[in-house]
Amino acid sequence: MGYAKERGKLEKLSGKIVGLDIYNEKNFAILVDSHEKYSHTIRILKNKEPELFMDLYTNELQQIKESRKAVKESETDEARQSTFIQYRDTLVAVMEKTINITKETN
């Protein structure tokens, strides 16, 4: 089964967020938008091939949600910056993992 379309979306998203290093509302909004797009894409992949993508859908998507929540709940600027970087890194890592799975199954 071909996953080139979904993989292309994820590669584009990953490239868009990998350079976001400073927390501000604009950068956070970009991460949230990318998170939502990733969520949509992984749902499509899960529906196509549940055996391959169900773990990503349930476990990794939950990790991303928890990282996002940590940014929102941060009380100091330092904590917010730190959790923002963790959110970004989690999102990038999960996208890379998903991209690798799509490459391995073609």
Side-chain angles (χ1 to χ4, degrees):
M1 191 173 267
Y3 303 111
K5 181 178 177 183
E6 288 80 11
R7 183 172 52 246
K9 288 179 192 177
L10 294 175
E11 288 170 344
K12 186 177 178 182
L13 281 175
S14 182
K16 183 178 177 181
I17 65 172
V18 77
L20 299 177
D21 293 330
I22 309 277
Y23 172 83
N24 59 41
E25 291 300 318
K26 181 182 175 189
N27 286 347
F28 186 63
I30 291 169
L31 282 187
V32 169
D33 183 57
S34 298
H35 172 185
E36 290 170 0
K37 288 178 180 175
Y38 171 77
S39 178
H40 177 75
T41 301
I42 196 65
R43 201 172 300 119
I44 290 169
L45 291 169
K46 176 198 62 107
N47 290 339
K48 283 184 177 181
E49 195 67 49
E51 291 179 10
L52 289 174
F53 298 102
M54 184 58 82
D55 283 345
L56 287 170
Y57 181 76
T58 55
N59 300 330
E60 276 74 357
L61 201 52
Q62 186 61 36
Q63 265 185 318
I64 296 169
K65 288 177 186 176
E66 290 169 5
S67 295
R68 177 180 173 179
K69 185 178 177 184
V71 174
K72 286 182 169 184
E73 293 177 349
S74 297
E75 294 183 11
T76 66
D77 290 341
E78 291 172 354
R80 192 170 296 117
Q81 177 63 37
S82 175
T83 55
F84 175 79
I85 296 298
Q86 289 173 344
Y87 180 37
R88 182 207 59 201
D89 291 346
T90 302
L91 194 52
V92 168
V94 170
M95 284 184 189
E96 290 300 319
K97 188 173 180 180
T98 307
I99 289 166
N100 289 335
I101 290 173
T102 63
K103 287 179 180 177
E104 293 169 2
T105 58
N106 276 340

